[in-house]
Amino acid sequence: MSNGRTSSLPNVVAVATAPNYGRFAIGPVEVGIGVTLGNALRRILLSSLPGSAITSVRIQNVYHEFSCIPSVREDVTEIVLNIKNIRLRSYSERAVRLNLAKHGDGEVRAGDIELPANVELVNPELVLATLDGPDAHLELELTVERGRGYVSFESREGMPIGTIPVDAIFSPIPKVNYLVEPANAEMLSVVPDEQEEGSENGVVTLSPEDVEGREQLLIEIWTDGTIDPGEALSLSAQYLFQHSQLISGFNKQAAPTGRDLPGAVSIPAHLFEMPIEDLSLSMRTYNCLKRSGITKVGQVLRMDKKELLGLRNFGDKSFDELHQSLLTRDLIPPGTPLDLSSREEGEEGEGIEGELETGEYVGYAEYDQADEPDAYIEQTGETVDGDVSSAQIVDAAGVSEGSMEAAAGIFIDDEPASEDVDILPGDNETDLGEAEAAPKARSRKKS
């Protein structure tokens, strides 16, 4: 056995590199895994990597591709074929328009195109057309877009007259080849010059015993110059990993993370990672969530109504729109804070009636509901000289409304603030007429 450490995971070694070419060795792997990886990576490299391409062109005084331009050696069909070979990088998610204007005798090259800051040209030496004569001129308007794979010009319909659609080859990888062979310990142990052996990014040294009975994958990648071969291999592996991860999480609940508490409802992984763009929200609601750092549906489902309304510029209308969008798509798992249906069902049986069924009236005086007065005076002792003005006025539930003495003498718009109250006779109370006359007499005296 080797003194170096061995790993069950394969090494990835750059065997040969060039600006538009790269050869990589992946191994050692178990028998059968090399073909699986090679075929999957090759298909992704050829069809699924994003790129930029010219999708349409407008030529001054030309209305269709079967035309000839005065003092230009190539016809429009040849010019369009040359335009297909322009390779560039666009860093804009929207379509970008490029202009080219050439006057006088000579060749028209891709380098003559006026480029904005968000577009880079890879092959400026590409010849697009040849002008004959000092009076010749050619003006083009090119449209650049980002995409994946290949899009035929026939799929773009309804374009204005004078706009010629172009077959768009977005894929930056024109060719991929792979080969599976027995694992070679020497090849898989090669350390790149820029890395030191033993470092974290270094390649593990293997011995012949470590690779016995195993195989390796050799994959060759040709690019159009808009992407590095090593970066292309990394992107294709990430794309494969993303899809494999979705399958690996099938029929499993997501582990509690972040705001999940013990006993809380778990949100499925595919639902948690769904972007809020899929909810088709209005721009106002979408921007409110985006500015607050909320980009996934799972983040929304972990917040209750109070938390959502606490977001900046997020009001009741935005909440209703968001909740309705989730509800119509059946994206609210039972038990989450936004599951209002279960909460409403639980609240139907609650309230005063539910409490009265127990027969307990905590803090309430006992009285006969049949003889219940609108209000009564609660007397804690005997009155002096029949004066009940200081007695406490309470309603049927026992809540104090203040005393007659405190309300006496207060007038609002020349009317007394205190209202006449029917006083119920009790064991120690005096004549009602005297009780009513006392506060009224004091009121007139003070006024």
Side-chain angles (χ1 to χ4, degrees):
M1 295 295 291
S2 169
N3 294 330
R5 63 183 179 88
T6 59
S7 174
S8 59
L9 296 178
N11 297 336
V12 182
V13 180
V15 179
T17 58
N20 296 350
Y21 171 81
R23 183 191 304 159
F24 305 92
I26 304 173
V29 295
E30 299 297 332
V31 177
I33 299 299
V35 174
T36 304
L37 285 176
N39 188 51
L41 292 174
R42 178 178 179 273
R43 297 296 296 268
I44 294 174
L45 284 165
L46 292 175
S47 64
S48 301
L49 295 189
S52 305
I54 295 175
T55 56
S56 65
V57 58
R58 289 178 63 91
I59 305 177
Q60 187 180 28
N61 299 326
V62 173
Y63 301 102
H64 55 81
E65 58 182 319
F66 305 105
S67 302
C68 292
I69 307 173
S71 302
V72 178
R73 188 175 303 175
E74 294 83 1
D75 58 16
V76 174
T77 302
E78 292 180 87
I79 295 176
V80 171
L81 290 175
N82 293 333
I83 288 174
K84 289 182 184 180
N85 295 324
I86 297 177
R87 306 311 302 166
L88 35 76
R89 304 185 190 96
S90 176
Y91 300 101
S92 175
E93 295 298 329
R94 300 183 179 181
V96 180
R97 298 189 184 280
L98 311 178
N99 295 314
L100 183 152
K102 184 73 172 181
H103 300 271
D105 192 6
E107 293 180 336
V108 180
R109 298 180 180 272
D112 297 322
I113 300 175
E114 300 177 7
L115 299 175
N118 55 358
V119 177
E120 293 181 9
L121 185 64
V122 175
N123 51 348
E125 299 300 323
L126 176 67
V127 178
L128 303 180
T130 305
L131 304 183
D132 294 330
D135 297 331
H137 69 278
L138 179 65
E139 294 187 13
L140 305 176
E141 182 184 80
L142 309 171
T143 302
V144 178
E145 298 181 21
R146 288 180 57 84
R148 296 175 185 267
Y150 169 82
V151 179
S152 172
F153 76 95
E154 297 178 350
S155 62
R156 290 187 291 274
E157 299 179 353
M159 304 190 74
I161 297 176
T163 300
I164 302 174
V166 179
D167 292 327
I169 304 175
F170 294 108
S171 177
I173 309 298
K175 184 179 178 182
V176 179
N177 183 36
Y178 74 91
L179 174 67
V180 179
E181 61 183 14
N184 186 325
E186 183 179 355
M187 178 181 294
L188 295 176
S189 301
V190 174
V191 180
D193 295 337
E194 64 271 11
Q195 293 179 343
E196 296 182 1
E197 186 173 0
S199 64
E200 291 185 2
N201 296 327
V203 178
V204 179
T205 302
L206 300 174
S207 66
E209 291 80 6
D210 296 330
V211 300
E212 185 178 358
R214 307 176 79 180
E215 61 186 19
Q216 67 183 18
L217 169 67
L218 286 178
I219 185 167
E220 296 177 294
I221 302 174
W222 287 263
T223 74
D224 62 1
T226 61
I227 189 173
D228 181 75
E231 182 183 359
L233 179 63
S234 177
L235 289 176
S236 63
Q238 292 177 26
Y239 193 80
L240 179 61
F241 170 74
Q242 291 173 359
H243 287 72
S244 301
Q245 189 178 33
L246 291 175
I247 301 174
S248 66
F250 175 72
N251 204 28
K252 292 183 179 180
Q253 291 185 339
T257 57
R259 291 169 51 90
D260 282 347
L261 299 176
V265 178
S266 297
I267 301 174
H270 72 280
L271 181 58
F272 185 87
E273 295 297 332
M274 179 184 294
I276 59 175
E277 287 85 351
D278 295 348
L279 300 180
S280 302
L281 301 173
S282 63
M283 287 304 299
R284 176 181 176 83
T285 304
Y286 173 79
N287 289 335
C288 289
L289 296 174
K290 201 76 171 180
R291 282 195 296 264
S292 301
I294 300 175
T295 59
K296 305 293 184 182
V297 173
Q299 295 175 269
V300 176
L301 295 177
R302 293 186 180 184
M303 304 175 69
D304 56 20
K305 182 176 181 180
K306 184 177 180 180
E307 290 177 303
L308 287 171
L309 293 178
L311 301 178
R312 184 178 180 183
N313 296 331
F314 197 91
D316 290 329
K317 291 185 178 179
S318 298
F319 174 79
D320 292 340
E321 178 190 356
L322 175 62
H323 186 266
Q324 186 63 27
S325 179
L326 292 170
L327 194 62
T328 54
R329 291 172 171 79
D330 196 20
L331 298 179
I332 305 180
T336 54
L338 292 181
D339 184 20
L340 302 181
S341 58
S342 59
R343 188 176 307 174
E344 291 175 356
E345 292 175 359
E347 292 176 352
E348 286 182 359
E350 298 179 0
I352 297 178
E353 294 181 2
E355 295 175 358
L356 294 180
E357 289 178 357
T358 62
E360 299 180 359
Y361 300 89
V362 180
Y364 283 35
E366 296 183 1
Y367 57 88
D368 188 0
Q369 296 185 5
D371 299 328
E372 176 185 350
D374 294 334
Y376 63 91
I377 292 180
E378 182 178 88
Q379 296 179 337
T380 57
E382 296 182 356
T383 59
V384 180
D385 298 331
D387 184 7
V388 294
S389 61
S390 61
Q392 195 78 2
I393 302 177
V394 295
D395 63 9
V399 180
S400 172
E401 297 290 348
S403 65
M404 294 173 59
E405 184 177 15
I410 302 176
F411 287 78
I412 299 177
D413 296 334
D414 298 331
E415 295 293 336
S418 60
E419 300 179 357
D420 294 339
V421 180
D422 294 335
I423 302 175
L424 299 181
D427 296 335
N428 299 322
E429 60 189 18
T430 60
D431 184 72
L432 290 177
E434 295 178 1
E436 293 180 358
K440 293 182 179 179
R442 278 195 295 273
S443 298
R444 286 193 298 271
K445 187 182 296 185
K446 292 182 180 180
S447 62

